Coordinates of all heavy atoms in Angstrom, one line a residue:
I140 N 0.8 -1.2 0.0 CA -0.1 0.0 0.1 C 0.9 1.2 0.0 O 0.5 2.3 -0.6 CB -0.9 0.0 1.2 CG1 -2.0 1.2 1.1 CG2 -0.2 0.1 2.5 CD1 -2.9 1.0 -0.1
E141 N 2.1 1.2 0.6 CA 3.0 2.3 0.7 C 3.5 2.6 -0.7 O 3.7 3.7 -1.2 CB 4.0 2.2 1.7 CG 3.6 2.2 3.1 CD 2.9 3.5 3.4 OE1 3.4 4.6 3.0 OE2 1.9 3.5 4.2
G142 N 3.9 1.5 -1.4 CA 4.3 1.6 -2.8 C 3.4 2.2 -3.7 O 3.7 3.1 -4.5
F143 N 2.1 1.8 -3.5 CA 1.0 2.2 -4.3 C 0.8 3.8 -4.1 O 0.6 4.5 -5.1 CB -0.3 1.5 -4.0 CG -1.5 1.9 -4.8 CD1 -1.6 1.7 -6.1 CD2 -2.5 2.6 -4.1 CE1 -2.7 2.2 -6.9 CE2 -3.7 3.0 -4.8 CZ -3.7 2.8 -6.2
K144 N 0.9 4.1 -2.9 CA 0.6 5.6 -2.5 C 1.8 6.5 -3.1 O 1.6 7.6 -3.6 CB 0.7 5.8 -1.0 CG -0.7 5.2 -0.4 CD -0.6 5.0 1.1 CE -0.2 6.1 2.0 NZ -0.3 5.8 3.4
L145 N 3.0 5.9 -3.0 CA 4.2 6.6 -3.7 C 4.0 6.7 -5.2 O 4.3 7.8 -5.8 CB 5.4 5.9 -3.4 CG 6.0 6.0 -2.0 CD1 7.3 5.1 -1.7 CD2 6.5 7.4 -1.7
W146 N 3.5 5.7 -5.8 CA 3.3 5.7 -7.2 C 2.2 6.8 -7.5 O 2.3 7.5 -8.5 CB 2.8 4.3 -7.7 CG 2.4 4.2 -9.2 CD1 3.2 4.2 -10.2 CD2 1.1 4.3 -9.7 NE1 2.5 4.1 -11.4 CE2 1.2 4.2 -11.1 CE3 -0.2 4.3 -9.1 CZ2 0.1 4.2 -11.9 CZ3 -1.3 4.4 -10.0 CH2 -1.2 4.2 -11.3
V147 N 1.1 6.8 -6.9 CA 0.1 7.8 -7.1 C 0.5 9.1 -6.8 O 0.3 10.1 -7.7 CB -1.2 7.6 -6.2 CG1 -2.2 8.7 -6.2 CG2 -1.9 6.3 -6.5
S148 N 1.4 9.4 -5.9 CA 1.9 10.7 -5.6 C 2.8 11.1 -6.8 O 2.8 12.3 -7.2 CB 2.7 10.7 -4.3 OG 3.4 11.9 -4.1
G149 N 3.7 10.2 -7.2 CA 4.6 10.6 -8.3 C 3.8 10.8 -9.6 O 4.2 11.7 -10.3
K150 N 2.7 10.1 -9.8 CA 1.9 10.4 -11.0 C 1.2 11.7 -10.9 O 1.3 12.4 -11.9 CB 0.8 9.2 -11.0 CG -0.1 9.2 -12.2 CD -1.0 8.0 -12.1 CE -2.1 8.1 -13.2 NZ -1.5 8.1 -14.6
E151 N 0.8 12.1 -9.8 CA 0.1 13.4 -9.6 C 1.1 14.5 -9.9 O 0.8 15.5 -10.6 CB -0.5 13.5 -8.2 CG -1.7 12.6 -8.1 CD -2.2 12.7 -6.7 OE1 -1.5 13.3 -5.8 OE2 -3.4 12.3 -6.4
N152 N 2.4 14.3 -9.4 CA 3.4 15.4 -9.6 C 3.8 15.6 -11.0 O 3.9 16.7 -11.4 CB 4.7 15.0 -8.7 CG 4.5 15.2 -7.3 OD1 3.7 16.0 -6.8 ND2 5.3 14.5 -6.4
V153 N 3.9 14.5 -11.7 CA 4.1 14.6 -13.2 C 3.0 15.3 -13.9 O 3.3 16.1 -14.8 CB 4.4 13.2 -13.7 CG1 4.5 13.3 -15.3 CG2 5.7 12.6 -13.2
E154 N 1.8 14.9 -13.6 CA 0.6 15.5 -14.2 C 0.5 17.0 -13.9 O 0.1 17.8 -14.7 CB -0.6 14.7 -13.9 CG -0.7 13.3 -14.6 CD -1.9 12.5 -14.1 OE1 -2.6 13.0 -13.1 OE2 -2.0 11.4 -14.6
S155 N 0.8 17.4 -12.6 CA 0.7 18.7 -12.3 C 1.8 19.6 -12.9 O 1.5 20.8 -13.2 CB 0.7 18.9 -10.8 OG 2.1 18.6 -10.3
T156 N 2.9 19.0 -13.1 CA 4.0 19.7 -13.8 C 3.7 19.9 -15.3 O 4.0 21.1 -15.8 CB 5.3 18.9 -13.7 OG1 5.6 18.7 -12.3 CG2 6.4 19.6 -14.4
R157 N 3.0 19.0 -15.9 CA 2.6 19.2 -17.3 C 1.6 20.3 -17.5 O 1.6 20.9 -18.5 CB 2.0 17.8 -17.8 CG 3.1 16.7 -18.0 CD 2.4 15.4 -18.4 NE 3.3 14.3 -18.6 CZ 3.1 13.1 -18.6 NH1 1.8 12.7 -18.4 NH2 4.0 12.1 -18.8
G158 N 0.9 20.4 -16.4 CA -0.2 21.5 -16.5 C 0.2 22.8 -16.1 O -0.5 23.7 -16.1
G159 N 1.5 23.0 -15.9 CA 2.1 24.3 -15.4 C 2.9 24.2 -14.2 O 3.7 23.3 -14.1
E160 N 2.8 25.1 -13.3 CA 3.6 25.1 -12.0 C 3.1 23.9 -11.1 O 2.0 23.6 -11.0 CB 3.4 26.4 -11.3 CG 4.0 27.6 -12.0 CD 3.9 28.8 -11.0 OE1 3.2 28.8 -10.1 OE2 4.6 29.8 -11.4
P161 N 4.1 23.4 -10.5 CA 3.8 22.3 -9.4 C 3.2 23.0 -8.2 O 3.3 24.0 -8.0 CB 5.2 21.6 -9.1 CG 6.1 22.7 -9.4 CD 5.6 23.5 -10.6
Y162 N 2.6 22.1 -7.4 CA 2.0 22.6 -6.1 C 3.1 22.4 -5.1 O 3.9 21.4 -5.1 CB 0.8 21.8 -5.8 CG 0.3 22.1 -4.3 CD1 -0.3 23.3 -4.1 CD2 0.7 21.3 -3.2 CE1 -0.7 23.6 -2.8 CE2 0.3 21.5 -1.9 CZ -0.4 22.7 -1.7 OH -0.8 23.0 -0.4
W163 N 3.2 23.3 -4.1 CA 3.9 23.0 -2.9 C 3.2 23.5 -1.7 O 2.3 24.3 -1.8 CB 5.4 23.8 -3.0 CG 5.3 25.2 -3.1 CD1 5.1 26.2 -2.1 CD2 5.3 26.0 -4.4 NE1 5.1 27.5 -2.7 CE2 5.2 27.4 -4.1 CE3 5.5 25.6 -5.7 CZ2 5.3 28.3 -5.0 CZ3 5.6 26.5 -6.7 CH2 5.5 28.0 -6.3
E164 N 3.5 22.9 -0.5 CA 2.8 23.2 0.7 C 2.9 24.7 1.0 O 3.9 25.3 1.0 CB 3.4 22.4 1.8 CG 2.6 22.5 3.2 CD 3.1 21.6 4.2 OE1 4.2 21.1 4.1 OE2 2.4 21.4 5.2
G165 N 1.7 25.3 1.2 CA 1.6 26.7 1.6 C 1.6 27.7 0.4 O 1.5 28.9 0.6
K166 N 1.6 27.1 -0.8 CA 1.5 27.9 -2.0 C 0.2 28.8 -2.0 O 0.3 30.0 -2.3 CB 1.6 27.1 -3.2 CG 1.6 27.9 -4.5 CD 1.7 27.0 -5.7 CE 1.8 27.7 -7.0 NZ 1.9 26.8 -8.2
E167 N -0.9 28.3 -1.6 CA -2.1 29.0 -1.6 C -2.2 30.2 -0.6 O -3.0 31.1 -0.7 CB -3.3 28.1 -1.3 CG -3.3 27.5 0.1 CD -2.4 26.3 0.3 OE1 -1.6 26.0 -0.7 OE2 -2.6 25.6 1.2
N168 N -1.3 30.1 0.4 CA -1.2 31.1 1.4 C 0.0 32.1 1.1 O 0.4 32.9 2.0 CB -1.0 30.5 2.8 CG -2.1 29.7 3.2 OD1 -3.3 30.1 2.9 ND2 -1.9 28.5 3.8
G169 N 0.5 32.0 -0.1 CA 1.6 33.0 -0.5 C 3.0 32.6 -0.2 O 4.0 33.4 -0.3
R170 N 3.2 31.3 0.2 CA 4.6 30.8 0.4 C 5.3 30.8 -1.0 O 4.8 30.2 -1.9 CB 4.5 29.4 1.0 CG 5.9 29.0 1.4 CD 5.8 27.5 1.8 NE 7.2 27.1 2.3 CZ 7.6 25.8 2.4 NH1 6.7 24.8 2.1 NH2 8.8 25.5 2.8
T171 N 6.5 31.4 -1.0 CA 7.2 31.5 -2.2 C 7.9 30.2 -2.7 O 8.1 29.3 -1.8 CB 8.4 32.5 -2.1 OG1 9.3 32.1 -1.1 CG2 7.8 33.9 -1.6
A172 N 8.2 30.1 -4.0 CA 8.9 29.0 -4.5 C 10.3 28.8 -3.8 O 10.8 27.7 -3.6 CB 9.1 29.1 -6.0

């Protein structure tokens, strides 16, 4: 299950990068890159 969760996380990161900027914690509150 941990491997599956890592795979899903990696897949989401790749897809978010293709769509533009990646997400990082606190981004929505103005945290800088």
Side-chain angles (χ1 to χ4, degrees):
I140 189 63
E141 290 302 321
F143 179 68
K144 286 159 61 177
L145 283 171
W146 175 80
V147 170
S148 175
K150 183 177 172 62
E151 288 177 346
N152 285 337
V153 170
E154 290 176 353
S155 66
T156 301
R157 287 173 182 165
E160 290 186 348
Y162 171 80
W163 59 84
E164 188 176 14
K166 185 178 183 180
E167 67 277 10
N168 297 321
R170 188 186 184 200
T171 64

